[in-house]
Amino acid sequence: MADKSIRFLLNNTVRTLTDCNPNTSILQFLRAEEKRSGTKEGCCSGDCGACTVVIAELVNGDLRYKSLNACIGLMPSLHGKQLITVEDLKDGDRLHPVQQAMVDHHGSQCGFCTPGFVMSLFALHKNFPNPDQHQTLEALAGNLCRCTGYRAILDAAKAAANHGPDQFDRNKAYTTATLQAIHADSIRELTDGEHSAFAPNTVEELASLLQQHPQARLLAGGTDLALEITQQLKQLETLIYVGNVEELQIFEETDQGFTIGAALPYSEFTPRLAAEYPDFGDMIERLGSLQIRNHGTLGGNIGNASPIGDTPPVLIALGATITLRRGQQERTIPAEDYFVDYKVTDQREHEFIRSVFIPKAKADHALKIYKISKRLDDDISAVLGVFHINVKDGVIETSDVAYGGMAAIPKRASNCEAALKGQAWNTATIENAMQALENDFSPLSDVRASADYRMQVAKNLLKKCYLELDQPQANSRVVNYFDGGFISQKGATSHA
Amino acid sequence: MRNLPEINPAQSSAIKGGIGKSRKHESADKHVSGEAVYIDDRPELANQLHAAIGQSTIAHGLIKSLDLSKVREAEGVVAVITADDVPGHIDIGPVFPGDPVIAKEKVEFLGQTIFAVAATSHDLARKATKLAVVEYEELEPVLSVKKALEQENFVRPPHTQQRGDANAAIAKAAHVLEGEVQIGGQEHFYLEGQISTAEPTEDGGMTIYTSSQHPSEVQMLVAEVLGIPFNLVTVDMRRMGGGFGGKETHAAPWACVSALLARKSGQPVKLRLSRSDDMVLTGKRHPFENNYRVGFDSDGRIEGIEVTVNGNCGYSPDLSDAIVDRAMFHSDNAYYLNQARVTGNRCKTNTVSHTAFRGFGGPQGMMTIEGVMDDIARELGKDPLEVRKTNLYGTDDRNVTHYHQTVEHNLLPEIIEKLETSSNYQQRREEILEFNAANPLLKKGIALTPVKFGISFTVQHLNQAGALIHVYTDGSIQLNHGGTEMGQGLFTKVAQVVAEEFQVDVDTINVTSTRTDKVPNTSPTAASSGTDLNGKAAQNAARTIKQRFIDFACEHFNVDASQVVFADNQVTIGEKVMSFGELAQLAYTNRISLSSTGYYKTPKIHYDREKAAGRPFFYYANGAACSEVLIDTLTGEYKVTRVDILHDVGHSLNPAIDIGQIEGGFVQGMGWLTTEELMWNDQGRLLTTGPATYKIPAVADMPEVFNVELMPDEPNREATIYNSKAVGEPPFMLAISVWSALRDAVASVADYQVSPELHTPATPERVLAAVANLQKR
């Protein structure tokens, strides 16, 4: 029997929630039920950050603070966690140091985005007491401000560094003990009688729930699923929240590679993956925003089967595999076999993605990933190109090339690969392979790019890959221009 | 000649938050704590309903039938209204007719209001709107400027400004160029969407809580649609979560609809547009398609020019007449055009009616001439900055605009010279040439562009303002004026003015919400004029009360007026010293009125539109920006790597707020010209309806090096409030330097021999296309 309630800390108060429609967003709960109006609705699609709240949760017995877009966070995901909103930051009458820094540095103008920035800054300083510019930009990339131009907010972020202990630090023992006490034990069900969300704790429970409720939708980070509720005004009848299933949260490293649980959020595994594949790490840092990556998962990015998902082309080019489970049965398939047609996958009824295996970097292989979008951060790719290439003695031994945004599914560029494999590593080969892309893809025109641009860029990215491998020292990318370090004024933002 | 009608107060003033101080925003503490109340945060009123808009699903057609039976039966629905439920005026066009509050027989854009629903929740109201069954007789929509021009489909007649004979001058010139630039529109993307709550009153009137830059117009329009006198409608407006022009006229329809639904249901009604509805239903910055023909000499000096600006106004006039006029007024930007003819067309298309947005047409006007400067430079093989300097307005001659206003107090030669030095322009130009020669893939570009922006509403009667000040007997002050706070710091600056007048700490002054029952018949907070107008009105109110204090003190204590001194929260009267509060109490007990209105109207301005001549602007605000960019010639991606700005705000009332306006305006302008791309399909449907597809600048887009300075020691020569200058709009146009720098980087691909075509927004796709065009040559 499922326990028909969820329990969480709202700041320092344990809340037990029963009789609640699981389609309710955390933002709706805060504003309508709790009358906490400090958290704002800017877009209701997880793209502006005005509704940013912070979730504290226990990871290996320690408290971790993560920013979240409350507009697309659903209530079932709150069980066993602490929800902190802008109202909780003041200590009596005193502003929190991040709030005071925003005031002192004129970081608010109209003030509507401000609570969201304050919460992102709060989480940033909890995780990095003295954040550097890179960490600060990463923490704020999902918060849009239309008034300030951001300089004042960055100054505030800097000024709040090393602000010392706050009431959350002082309450740490209580918070930890309380969260441990309400941690998931039995299957949870949140229901209003018409809509239900189940929250299993084990893979067995999940497998069995899926067989009982074949129409149920799986909810992990919900960063895409919730848009059906907030944008299309749908009400989902049955949800299964997989975030409490520990086996789906694994990260295992062996000599062969990494096994990543389907429900492990990006921000939990990106640093380790980035150490192995720097380009993969750089790309994930531009996938959505930190609020999205704190909750969005690899399983979701795959299962969603979007033609513009950013990780699938990488998984295809790296020869990753996906392990699926149904009931007691498991099967493992190459990542590229998962994607069949537009939003059609090889996933069968009652089946779910359990984990993804990514092989370790192979000697002499290069991995180049290029994410092309209108805006640098938090923007869906027009084209994503991945090149996994091994050149030996001037000859291309292996060539795995895959693209996103070029077809109905994330797809390997077979003709291009064939034009590369076994050929001499030179411009003539590259020109041929660029041309071969026309046989691989006929992209569409949409709001992000025209078909012509997509094809031209797809070709040019191969050329860029060639030039980068050929002349590793050359300046070749705008996006991490400063990381290349050939301007000396980094951090010189100034005025009185 | 220096002529300073205002005396600057002593800078040693001991009060907190007097003028010239970087006082924090009056709501800053409330912003950061989430305690600042926006309309959606107000506690629900008893029986309050939530509204949503039923929208046209075609761009142009006649409504043959409108079946709302399923809408009425839907869960939670309490009231449904159509045009037939409007007791008063249907047309709520702010200047000219053309905007039905609810369309009756004809729809003219996809998304137009055809009915409205009030239900027990926001989501139920939205869901119900989808259940309408509507039959249309479709008419051919006009969806492009080109087609509107072909059909001479205009919302207002064309207009021309001219001086001399441009055609003859061009014919005689040594060099002639012509060209076109297409300039995209821009979504305001205020973080707080449009919202209004209407609460019926016992008199059959309405109290309206709205997020609007123009409460008086909301009052008027609500009264008119309800068919009741203005005095039965009260509008309350404490703060907006951003406006940028988008809540000047386009806040009113939602107030009117909520009032109509409140009238119909007898219950309070809140109408909050979801982000996607807001983006579909409200107007944007006008897209423009401009062209020019210019004749110039071998130094690049313009001898004659013909400019045509074609604004895409959408389906109705709204403010488009004045917006296209302002584009025409700014077709010179900072340059002497000599023999000039500027024509403006107001193209009617079947899209949402485009509206005010920071700059109000000025930016779109300036784009043409800044493009011309670059084009002349490439043609003559000169540095674009040299051509710009050659064409700047002179100080004694070559200083009359094409609308016959003399450009006085022109600071631009000095600003440009200073910025050229502080940004190290010449040396960086050399370094960029070297970089570009050495790097096949990445190219750099740099540009330094000026801004000259005319300050005043070009509709003369709007240049007036009122204020109301109460001094209470404890010495605390309540301040109210017709201006609205949208984040720009107006309330802070005006409070600083009053603090300065009374010589009291600014935190003894409480600024209350803008209300039509406190200060009536106000102008919109727009045209950068908020502080100029309301600051002066508040100053006048303060001076009235202060004079009463002085007169009273003279009589009561038998001293001379020169012996009454207000300083440091105290008043010295002869040998006696008392606190400001003690004086207030004493004056009250002696029956002195401690409340006063204040009024102001801008002097000197006049304009004869028939003759297209006069002085539409009280003064000009100036500034210049130097931007450097880096582009990728394989993908078109780019980054703005460094920006230096020197901007003129006269004597700054609050440097922190002014710098905030400059930085914010610049970044917003940069977004307009780079990543913010509005797309409509061939049915007239807006495709970019949220931040997932419409990309405003995010934190990493801010230039890594961003040096912003205020022009020092240059008080406004006109008698503005403490000789400050307006700052809301002018910095927006500093971002044209980014576009020019992108063109510079692209031009490097063909060794600066060709001026590349680069329409805006200059997305990576457009930049790559521009590079490819030059590589093909």
Side-chain angles (χ1 to χ4, degrees):
Chain A
M1 260 306 275
D3 181 336
K4 294 196 176 181
S5 70
I6 63 162
R7 297 172 79 198
F8 60 96
L9 269 175
L10 181 57
N11 194 22
N12 293 320
T13 310
V14 177
R15 297 295 311 272
T16 303
L17 205 62
T18 54
D19 191 20
C20 171
N21 181 343
N23 289 280
T24 309
S25 71
I26 296 170
L27 180 65
Q28 284 173 322
F29 169 76
L30 287 171
R31 293 185 62 86
E33 304 299 321
E34 293 296 316
K35 312 295 179 197
R36 287 187 177 221
S37 58
T39 307
K40 309 300 182 196
E41 177 183 322
C43 68
C44 226
S45 58
D47 296 302
C48 81
C51 65
T52 302
V53 294
V54 168
I55 300 290
E57 57 186 308
L58 287 174
V59 179
N60 302 324
D62 208 11
L63 281 175
R64 291 275 288 277
Y65 294 86
K66 294 176 173 178
S67 54
L68 165 80
N69 291 311
C71 69
I72 54 170
L74 299 183
M75 290 306 288
S77 67
L78 274 187
H79 181 78
K81 294 166 186 164
Q82 183 187 24
L83 172 60
I84 302 168
T85 73
V86 71
E87 286 88 351
D88 302 322
L89 259 54
K90 268 168 99 169
D91 192 0
D93 286 340
R94 268 188 49 213
L95 293 176
H96 188 276
V98 299
Q99 293 174 315
Q100 190 60 52
M102 283 285 281
V103 171
D104 293 344
H105 292 270
H106 308 279
S108 73
Q109 286 185 22
C110 85
F112 202 82
C113 72
T114 310
F117 272 95
V118 164
M119 295 312 288
S120 283
L121 288 172
F122 168 71
L124 169 69
H125 288 87
K126 280 269 167 272
N127 295 322
F128 305 102
N130 186 19
D132 62 25
Q133 181 91 345
H134 182 84
Q135 288 158 341
T136 305
L137 292 177
E138 191 188 0
L140 298 179
N143 290 87
L144 296 177
C145 170
R146 193 53 151 167
C147 296
T148 64
Y150 302 102
R151 192 272 315 158
I153 296 169
L154 290 178
D155 282 1
K158 212 175 284 179
N162 296 319
H163 62 61
D166 59 15
Q167 70 268 34
F168 300 94
D169 298 307
R170 293 198 300 274
N171 280 343
K172 198 172 169 183
Y174 164 79
T175 308
T176 306
T178 310
L179 291 183
Q180 270 162 353
I182 62 177
H183 196 65
D185 35 21
S186 56
I187 299 175
R188 297 277 161 178
E189 184 186 351
L190 191 63
T191 180
D192 63 352
E194 284 180 60
H195 316 85
S196 291
F198 299 93
N201 297 307
T202 66
V203 162
E204 279 68 33
E205 289 170 357
L206 169 58
S208 132
L209 277 168
L210 254 183
Q211 289 186 315
Q212 291 164 39
H213 304 279
Q215 302 308 316
R217 304 288 299 275
L218 291 183
L219 171 67
T223 56
D224 197 65
L225 186 70
L227 301 183
E228 293 184 21
I229 301 167
T230 69
Q231 300 299 303
Q232 297 166 32
L233 305 179
K234 284 190 196 166
Q235 289 284 290
L236 307 176
E237 205 170 292
T238 313
L239 290 163
I240 300 177
Y241 175 60
V242 298
N244 296 344
V245 181
E246 279 193 21
E247 293 121 299
L248 297 186
Q249 301 272 340
I250 56 165
F251 184 88
E252 287 169 3
E253 183 176 349
T254 64
D255 290 347
Q256 281 69 48
F258 308 96
T259 303
I260 302 174
L264 186 68
Y266 292 107
S267 56
E268 297 289 337
F269 65 81
T270 306
R272 186 59 197 95
L273 210 53
E276 188 76 13
Y277 294 113
D279 266 25
F280 203 175
D282 284 353
M283 184 275 280
I284 293 181
E285 276 191 14
R286 291 177 54 211
L287 186 164
S289 60
L290 186 59
Q291 286 96 320
I292 297 294
R293 296 193 298 277
N294 278 338
H295 302 274
T297 64
L298 206 49
N301 204 225
I302 296 166
N304 190 27
S306 163
I308 45 178
D310 278 340
T311 62
V314 187
L315 300 178
I316 291 171
L318 285 177
T321 57
I322 296 171
T323 297
L324 298 138
R325 173 157 175 157
R326 174 166 59 173
Q328 297 301 310
Q329 292 172 316
E330 287 195 354
R331 65 188 178 112
T332 297
I333 59 171
E336 64 185 300
D337 291 353
Y338 182 83
F339 306 100
V340 176
D341 202 344
Y342 180 70
K343 292 267 182 186
V344 177
T345 72
D346 188 42
Q347 192 169 321
R348 299 164 196 169
E349 199 176 32
H350 309 161
E351 203 170 38
F352 61 92
I353 302 171
R354 178 179 176 144
S355 61
V356 179
F357 175 80
I358 300 173
K360 283 218 165 154
K362 294 181 195 149
D364 306 323
H365 282 62
L367 178 71
K368 295 283 180 188
I369 303 174
Y370 306 98
K371 176 174 164 68
I372 308 301
S373 52
K374 271 182 209 167
R375 191 173 70 192
L376 177 66
D377 278 322
D378 196 1
D379 195 2
I380 289 165
S381 304
V383 178
L384 186 118
V386 187
F387 308 91
H388 190 213
I389 289 177
N390 176 22
V391 181
K392 204 164 188 185
D393 303 327
V395 175
I396 303 164
E397 285 213 329
T398 62
S399 57
D400 291 286
V401 179
Y403 285 89
M406 292 293 288
I409 52 172
K411 198 178 148 210
R412 184 182 287 277
S414 309
N415 290 291
C416 174
E417 287 177 345
L420 292 168
K421 194 164 183 185
Q423 300 299 308
W425 179 244
N426 60 31
T427 48
T429 301
I430 296 300
E431 295 282 341
N432 270 338
M434 286 166 68
Q435 205 50 45
L437 285 167
E438 300 211 351
N439 300 323
D440 283 315
F441 299 112
S442 3
L444 295 176
S445 294
D446 64 13
V447 291
R448 296 192 173 86
S450 70
D452 286 349
Y453 177 73
R454 286 193 159 103
M455 182 52 79
Q456 189 60 53
V457 166
K459 291 177 180 176
N460 287 358
L461 290 180
L462 178 58
K463 187 172 178 181
K464 185 185 271 291
C465 170
Y466 172 75
L467 293 167
E468 284 187 356
L469 292 175
D470 207 42
Q471 304 164 0
Q473 300 312 312
N475 302 312
S476 60
R477 296 194 198 185
V478 163
V479 288
N480 46 10
Y481 170 69
F482 290 108
D483 295 340
F486 56 98
I487 196 165
S488 59
Q489 306 203 41
K490 184 166 182 168
T493 304
S494 71
H495 68 74
Chain B
M1 186 191 72
R2 286 222 155 178
N3 171 23
L4 294 179
E6 287 277 347
I7 306 301
N8 290 318
Q11 293 299 298
S12 59
S13 171
I15 59 161
K16 277 188 231 156
I19 67 118
K21 309 263 177 66
S22 283
R23 175 75 188 176
K24 68 181 175 184
H25 191 284
E26 44 82 22
S27 288
D29 289 34
K30 293 180 273 185
H31 290 156
V32 299
S33 62
E35 291 161 11
V37 177
Y38 301 80
I39 306 299
D40 200 36
D41 305 335
R42 296 178 61 83
E44 295 253 311
L45 298 161
N47 301 321
Q48 182 176 303
L49 301 173
H50 301 263
I53 300 295
Q55 302 166 26
S56 159
T57 54
I58 64 167
H60 194 199
L62 303 174
I63 300 173
K64 301 316 284 180
S65 71
L66 179 61
D67 176 1
L68 299 178
S69 51
K70 289 208 176 70
V71 179
R72 291 177 210 279
E73 289 160 13
E75 183 188 353
V77 170
V78 176
V80 178
I81 55 167
T82 67
D84 294 333
D85 296 295
V86 181
H89 295 184
I90 281 203
D91 202 308
I92 56 169
V95 185
F96 305 100
D99 294 289
V101 62
I102 301 177
K104 194 171 168 67
E105 282 146 4
K106 190 176 188 185
V107 293
E108 296 197 272
F109 78 95
L110 199 156
Q112 189 165 12
T113 304
I114 54 175
F115 66 98
V117 177
T120 50
S121 84
H122 181 68
D123 282 351
L124 289 175
R126 286 176 71 195
K127 278 185 196 169
T129 61
K130 314 290 179 203
L131 302 174
V133 181
V134 191
E135 284 179 321
Y136 299 98
E137 179 186 330
E138 292 205 39
L139 301 171
E140 180 79 4
V142 175
L143 295 170
S144 69
V145 165
K146 191 166 170 273
K147 199 164 164 190
L149 286 171
E150 275 169 19
Q151 299 183 358
E152 296 190 4
N153 197 23
F154 298 133
V155 294
R156 297 285 305 152
H159 183 57
T160 297
Q161 299 164 339
Q162 67 181 334
R163 200 198 42 216
D165 186 343
N167 199 24
I170 295 167
K172 277 189 285 186
H175 303 270
V176 176
L177 281 175
E178 55 185 33
E180 186 200 359
V181 59
Q182 296 170 10
I183 304 154
Q186 185 177 28
E187 162 62 34
H188 301 83
F189 211 87
Y190 27 63
L191 265 287
E192 177 209 33
Q194 302 278 0
I195 184 164
S196 278
T197 298
E199 182 182 14
T201 69
E202 64 180 37
D203 309 313
M206 285 289 162
T207 303
I208 306 284
Y209 300 94
T210 180
S211 179
S212 164
Q213 294 171 241
H214 200 349
S216 282
E217 189 168 87
V218 170
Q219 176 198 23
M220 174 186 88
L221 294 173
V222 166
E224 286 181 352
V225 295
L226 294 178
I228 59 178
F230 293 6
N231 67 356
L232 292 184
V233 178
T234 302
V235 176
D236 180 297
M237 203 330 279
R238 174 57 183 91
R239 62 170 63 79
M240 282 166 269
F244 316 114
K247 295 173 182 170
E248 183 173 345
T249 58
H250 281 217
W254 324 115
C256 291
V257 169
S258 64
L260 288 164
L261 284 165
R263 158 70 73 93
K264 175 101 175 177
S265 64
Q267 293 171 235
V269 174
K270 176 160 80 181
L271 172 48
R272 171 171 71 84
L273 298 184
S274 68
R275 178 60 61 183
S276 55
D277 281 353
D278 192 304
M279 290 184 75
V280 170
L281 298 183
T282 67
K284 316 192 181 309
R285 180 185 298 285
H286 291 55
F288 269 71
E289 296 184 13
N290 302 343
N291 54 67
Y292 72 87
R293 201 163 66 89
V294 63
F296 50 97
D297 68 15
S298 304
D299 294 330
R301 188 176 283 110
I302 292 175
E303 291 176 335
I305 188 166
E306 287 178 337
V307 175
T308 304
V309 298
N310 301 302
N312 180 343
C313 302
Y315 84 96
S316 77
D318 186 65
L319 299 170
S320 295
D321 223 18
I323 287 166
V324 176
D325 270 1
R326 191 168 272 269
M328 296 166 67
F329 283 128
H330 289 81
S331 287
D332 59 343
N333 189 13
Y335 311 110
Y336 180 65
L337 300 183
N338 209 328
Q339 310 292 299
R341 179 182 166 87
V342 178
T343 305
N345 294 313
R346 287 107 173 117
C347 300
K348 176 171 177 167
T349 60
N350 291 105
T351 50
V352 67
S353 189
H354 294 307
T355 191
F357 195 150
R358 204 174 199 167
F360 205 73
Q364 297 98 313
M366 284 184 197
M367 283 288 288
T368 328
I369 195 69
E370 289 303 334
V372 167
M373 292 297 138
D374 291 335
D375 296 350
I376 291 175
R378 302 300 172 216
E379 179 74 11
L380 298 177
K382 291 177 180 295
D383 188 300
L385 179 57
E386 188 188 332
V387 175
R388 288 190 163 91
K389 289 201 265 190
T390 299
N391 283 292
L392 281 181
Y393 277 111
T395 41
D396 298 317
D397 61 345
R398 296 170 50 86
N399 62 351
V400 179
T401 66
H402 58 287
Y403 48 91
H404 306 275
Q405 173 161 357
T406 301
V407 179
E408 298 172 296
H409 322 307
N410 181 9
L411 295 178
L412 279 171
E414 197 185 336
I415 287 175
I416 289 176
E417 192 190 321
K418 282 188 175 211
L419 186 65
E420 187 179 346
T421 305
S422 67
S423 68
N424 211 3
Y425 176 89
Q426 297 299 347
Q427 190 191 327
R428 284 164 65 204
R429 167 64 73 192
E430 292 303 315
E431 289 166 3
I432 285 168
L433 291 175
E434 285 171 30
F435 177 94
N436 288 345
N439 282 274
L441 294 192
L442 304 187
K443 302 288 181 186
K444 289 183 178 182
I446 190 170
L448 193 161
T449 62
V451 168
K452 167 185 129 289
F453 191 76
I455 302 299
S456 291
F457 286 100
T458 56
V459 176
Q460 193 176 344
H461 74 262
L462 295 177
N463 296 287
Q464 58 174 318
L468 176 65
I469 292 176
H470 305 317
V471 178
Y472 295 95
T473 53
D474 62 350
S476 67
I477 296 166
Q478 205 176 74
L479 165 62
N480 196 276
H481 52 76
T484 57
E485 176 61 42
M486 62 193 96
Q488 83 279 44
L490 173 67
F491 278 20
T492 312
K493 284 181 169 179
V494 179
Q496 285 177 282
V497 166
V498 173
E500 191 70 38
E501 292 300 325
F502 287 123
Q503 286 296 300
V504 296
D505 291 344
V506 74
D507 50 20
T508 67
I509 298 165
N510 185 32
V511 193
T512 58
S513 60
T514 310
R515 288 179 64 103
T516 53
D517 57 358
K518 280 204 167 179
V519 176
N521 311 322
T522 56
S523 295
T525 306
S528 304
S529 68
T531 307
D532 281 15
L533 296 175
N534 296 289
K536 273 285 188 187
Q539 182 186 47
N540 288 336
R543 286 184 173 178
T544 300
I545 297 172
K546 193 174 172 184
Q547 192 58 49
R548 288 186 203 144
F549 277 136
I550 294 169
D551 293 345
F552 161 68
C554 290
E555 194 187 318
H556 192 77
F557 294 103
N558 199 20
V559 295
D560 187 77
S562 65
Q563 291 175 277
V564 183
V565 178
F566 291 71
D568 194 12
N569 295 296
Q570 292 182 322
V571 190
T572 306
I573 305 166
E575 313 234 307
K576 200 169 171 54
V577 179
M578 63 179 81
S579 71
F580 184 75
E582 286 165 342
L583 176 63
Q585 175 66 40
L586 188 64
Y588 164 74
T589 46
N590 285 276
R591 298 192 296 171
I592 304 296
S593 165
L594 299 183
S595 172
S596 176
T597 60
Y599 179 78
Y600 174 73
K601 58 181 176 182
T602 312
K604 295 189 177 178
I605 49 176
H606 58 89
Y607 185 66
D608 182 340
R609 194 165 185 268
E610 291 289 301
K611 294 183 181 146
R615 178 184 180 160
F617 304 117
F618 187 26
Y619 62 90
Y620 295 102
N622 296 301
C626 179
S627 294
E628 183 175 326
V629 301
L630 179 76
I631 67 165
D632 182 330
T633 57
L634 288 179
T635 62
E637 296 164 288
Y638 48 78
K639 191 160 182 162
V640 180
T641 53
R642 176 173 168 179
V643 173
D644 294 77
I645 289 172
L646 181 58
H647 196 78
D648 156 41
V649 296
H651 182 272
S652 176
L653 292 175
N654 183 323
I657 284 176
D658 285 344
I659 285 172
Q661 287 296 299
I662 294 166
E663 292 173 342
F666 179 87
V667 170
Q668 195 176 66
M670 189 178 86
W672 167 53
L673 294 171
T674 56
T675 57
E676 293 183 35
E677 187 171 30
L678 290 164
M679 295 185 96
W680 284 268
N681 71 6
D682 58 6
Q683 305 295 304
R685 177 181 296 278
L686 181 69
L687 301 175
T688 45
T689 59
T693 47
Y694 184 77
K695 309 310 282 188
I696 72 167
V699 66
D701 298 309
M702 193 196 88
E704 185 106 354
V705 179
F706 196 11
N707 301 311
V708 177
E709 285 188 45
L710 304 178
M711 182 73 174
D713 307 321
E714 285 291 350
N716 194 346
R717 313 293 172 86
E718 299 296 343
T720 52
I721 185 73
Y722 289 110
N723 302 97
S724 62
K725 277 195 181 181
V727 70
E729 292 162 292
F732 181 90
M733 288 147 277
L734 296 170
I736 295 173
S737 59
V738 172
W739 176 64
S740 186
L742 285 169
R743 293 183 85 204
D744 188 57
V746 173
S748 73
V749 170
D751 202 21
Y752 304 100
Q753 298 299 301
V754 185
S755 199
E757 184 179 85
L758 183 61
H759 300 315
T760 69
T763 56
E765 175 163 353
R766 286 210 175 87
V767 170
L768 186 65
V771 167
N773 279 340
L774 294 203
Q775 283 170 336
K776 269 185 231 149
R777 298 172 74 96

